Amino acid sequence: MKRFVKVIFAFSLLFCLGHLSFAAEDTDPVPYEEGEFPQWAYDLRRAEIITLGSMPFVSIGVTLGYGAFLMANGEISSFPNPFSSSSSVLSSDQVRNIFLMTIGISTIYGVTDFIINYVKRKNSQQQNDMLQKESTQFQVRKVTPEEAARLLNDSMSEQTESQEDSETDSISENQSQSKPHDEKAGN
């Protein structure tokens, strides 16, 4: 039996070492590309990071809160130390309850963050879609110098017309405001 294990180990070692000699490719790390992963994978990874990252802090909070609850009910006589691994104040069932509450609360944090980011992304996508529907489509084309001169003249004439209209409107407003004042002065 020992000989069989040695032979299997030697063949597997030979296979691995032989395979490594052919793997002389470029192994430099390459940064991820923009669309390499789907969005749900990024969201799931973020939820996982938040869930696992919040566990130590949630564990301390749950231990302190649960210890205060047990002490208030008179089930334990001293307050548990959340930093002690050999705390004999809590029973194994109480430690299991603390562990399960920690997992539950941390998971709630991760799922809540996932939902908030999902809703934000959907709202921004809807706003972008609405803006794209409402926006005017512009066409860009080459303009000859003659067309450019004609367009400039047209726009200049439109501007002077609008200025003249606004000036006549302001003059007529001033005259209408001054007439009642003049009539009062005459009486």
Side-chain angles (χ1 to χ4, degrees):
M1 183 67 175
K2 286 184 179 181
R3 181 182 166 112
F4 179 72
V5 172
K6 287 181 182 179
V7 168
I8 296 294
F9 180 73
F11 276 120
S12 60
L13 185 64
L14 182 65
F15 176 75
C16 290
L17 291 177
H19 187 65
L20 286 177
S21 65
F22 295 112
E25 298 176 9
D26 185 22
T27 59
D28 292 335
V30 178
Y32 293 125
E33 294 177 9
E34 183 67 30
E36 191 166 350
F37 296 106
Q39 187 60 45
W40 64 265
Y42 288 116
D43 293 342
L44 188 63
R45 177 66 177 150
R46 179 183 165 102
E48 175 190 10
I49 289 170
I50 289 175
T51 300
L52 296 177
S54 67
M55 274 190 168
F57 305 105
V58 171
S59 175
I60 292 170
V62 167
T63 302
L64 293 174
Y66 193 67
F69 173 75
L70 292 177
M71 214 169 137
N73 284 344
E75 294 182 32
I76 56 175
S77 58
S78 65
F79 200 75
N81 182 3
F83 301 109
S84 174
S85 62
S86 63
S87 179
S88 61
V89 175
L90 299 173
S91 69
S92 61
D93 286 340
Q94 292 168 337
V95 171
R96 182 181 52 100
N97 289 342
I98 289 173
F99 181 69
L100 292 176
M101 282 190 279
T102 299
I103 290 174
I105 293 172
S106 295
T107 303
I108 288 171
Y109 284 161
V111 169
T112 302
D113 181 74
F114 180 82
I115 291 170
I116 288 171
N117 284 326
Y118 179 78
V119 169
K120 279 183 180 179
R121 187 175 311 100
K122 286 297 179 185
N123 285 342
S124 67
Q125 284 176 352
Q126 286 176 353
Q127 287 176 350
N128 287 340
D129 291 344
M130 287 176 52
L131 288 174
Q132 287 178 356
K133 287 179 183 177
E134 291 175 359
S135 67
T136 309
Q137 298 293 328
F138 294 102
Q139 292 183 357
V140 178
R141 61 184 176 94
K142 290 185 179 181
V143 179
T144 63
E146 294 81 22
E147 287 178 308
R150 185 181 50 79
L151 290 172
L152 281 174
N153 288 335
D154 290 345
S155 66
M156 294 295 284
S157 64
E158 288 176 8
Q159 287 180 355
T160 55
E161 288 175 8
S162 64
Q163 286 177 351
E164 289 173 358
D165 290 340
S166 64
E167 287 175 4
T168 56
D169 289 342
S170 64
I171 291 172
S172 63
E173 285 178 15
N174 288 338
Q175 288 175 354
S176 65
Q177 290 176 355
S178 64
K179 284 183 181 179
H181 178 53
D182 292 340
E183 289 174 6
K184 289 180 183 177
N187 290 335

